[in-house]
Amino acid sequence: MSMFSIFNVSGSAVSAQSQRLNVVASNLANVDAVAGPDGKAYKAREVVFQTLPMGSEGSAGVKVKAITENDAPGRRVLDPANPAADEQGYVTHSNVNAVEEMVNMISASRAYQNNIEVMNTAKSLLLKTLQIGQ
């Protein structure tokens, strides 16, 4: 693998993790959302990654294949006084699990930081190589 392909691979990972962080932020923003007028509550979104072949030397990066909705049922809470309650008095909340989303956020953040560190290290090595040639 050439030194320059390292930037392509790490760059693809940084981009994918950035999208993952945006999805996690959206999920966390809607953790307490209730069903809207259509009766449907916010559904947690999940990022699906796919391997992306890069270059002729067999290196592989990553891309976001899709952003899917989690089909788990939303949390139902008995609250007959709530205007969003159904005929049985239950309010349907989103199916976002705040703890899982925080774990996803930490994981995505660390993956992002690690790939930035890989690019910084590759840059440093290339600069040192150029200095040797002077």
Side-chain angles (χ1 to χ4, degrees), residues 16-62:
Q17 294 302 332
S18 177
Q19 289 182 18
R20 183 179 173 199
L21 283 168
N22 285 335
V23 168
V24 168
S26 177
N27 286 344
L28 286 172
N30 289 289
V31 73
D32 287 327
V34 296
D38 61 354
K40 297 179 181 176
Y42 177 85
K43 295 213 178 254
R45 291 174 173 80
E46 299 168 347
V47 176
V48 179
F49 294 119
Q50 179 180 13
T51 303
L52 179 66
M54 302 187 119
S56 60
E57 62 263 349
S59 60
V62 64

Side-chain angles (χ1 to χ4, degrees), residues 31-33 73-77 91-96:
V31 73
D32 287 327
R75 190 172 38 101
R76 291 176 42 96
V77 177
V91 177
T92 303
H93 291 262
S94 70
N95 64 351
V96 177

Side-chain angles (χ1 to χ4, degrees), residues 37-129:
D38 61 354
K40 297 179 181 176
Y42 177 85
K43 295 213 178 254
R45 291 174 173 80
E46 299 168 347
V47 176
V48 179
F49 294 119
Q50 179 180 13
T51 303
L52 179 66
M54 302 187 119
S56 60
E57 62 263 349
S59 60
V62 64
K63 73 173 189 173
V64 173
K65 179 180 180 182
I67 298 175
T68 61
E69 284 188 351
N70 185 332
D71 289 332
R75 190 172 38 101
R76 291 176 42 96
V77 177
L78 181 62
D79 186 6
N82 191 317
D86 62 11
E87 57 278 348
Q88 298 162 345
Y90 285 94
V91 177
T92 303
H93 291 262
S94 70
N95 64 351
V96 177
N97 183 331
V99 174
E100 285 181 15
E101 294 303 323
M102 292 301 290
V103 170
N104 277 335
M105 182 181 65
I106 292 168
S107 173
S109 176
R110 287 191 178 155
Y112 185 95
Q113 290 171 341
N114 288 339
N115 280 289
I116 294 294
E117 189 62 31
V118 166
M119 289 193 286
N120 285 335
T121 301
K123 174 185 158 194
S124 174
L125 290 172
L126 285 171
L127 287 174
K128 288 184 191 275
T129 303

